[in-house]
Amino acid sequence: MRHDPAEAADEDPIICTTSVRVSVSGELPVPLPAELRYSAADPYAVRLSLGAPAAPPVDWVFARSLLAQGLSRPTGSGDVVVFPERRYRPDAIRILLRTRAGAALLEVSGTVVTAFLQRAHAVVPPGTEHRHIDLDHVVDQLTAGRE
């Protein structure tokens, strides 16, 4: 079964508005509005947008499977690491975001993440992501302007 990419682009993304607690080295944790977003048009990825009342949101894009695996065990390396927080807040998921400038540790409700992933998995079940990619379109984008 091949998925029509035009149809995927027309689908409404799955959006989960929530808040996270953000810890930065040497500072007390602060609450921050956040949004998790998933679309079949980009079936392997989730987008995490972190907002502040007076600033534009900062977006992080990482693997949906990373978020799912992080519900039960530490996973990831590099810029994004996801792991459950079992000691002090058993329902919390922690997401470590790293850049050259520093790192931030986010804490989000595991119940919220689980519900978000259930909705995303209903749209594109794990293991079927490849059926939702239009390879011709990807190749066209990669080779655009080259002749």
Side-chain angles (χ1 to χ4, degrees):
M1 177 178 157
R2 181 159 166 82
H3 183 75
D4 180 2
E7 180 182 311
D10 291 339
E11 291 177 11
D12 290 330
I14 294 168
I15 300 171
C16 174
T17 302
T18 188
S19 65
V20 297
R21 289 172 24 117
V22 179
S23 301
V24 179
S25 180
E27 301 290 330
L28 292 173
V30 295
L32 196 63
E35 179 182 276
L36 287 165
R37 181 180 292 257
Y38 179 79
S39 172
D42 191 1
Y44 287 102
V46 293
R47 179 177 305 274
L48 173 63
S49 294
L50 304 170
V58 175
D59 291 343
W60 284 78
V61 179
F62 52 93
R64 176 177 73 160
S65 61
L66 181 71
L67 187 60
Q69 292 169 5
L71 288 169
S72 60
R73 62 180 170 85
T75 189
S77 61
D79 295 345
V80 181
V81 178
V82 183
F83 53 98
E85 166 53 78
R86 298 197 175 152
R87 183 175 289 171
Y88 301 110
R89 298 184 66 165
D91 179 50
I93 302 301
R94 289 191 169 181
I95 303 172
L96 176 62
L97 303 174
R98 294 187 273 217
T99 69
R100 290 183 184 169
L105 182 63
L106 312 179
E107 191 172 279
V108 63
S109 163
T111 303
V112 167
V113 172
T114 298
F116 168 76
L117 287 170
Q118 286 173 341
R119 292 173 55 206
H121 291 163
V123 173
V124 178
T128 67
E129 294 90 350
H130 65 282
R131 295 181 189 159
H132 295 262
I133 294 178
D134 179 4
L135 290 178
D136 293 333
H137 179 69
V138 171
V139 170
D140 287 345
Q141 285 184 319
L142 291 173
T143 59
R146 295 183 184 163
E147 305 230 3

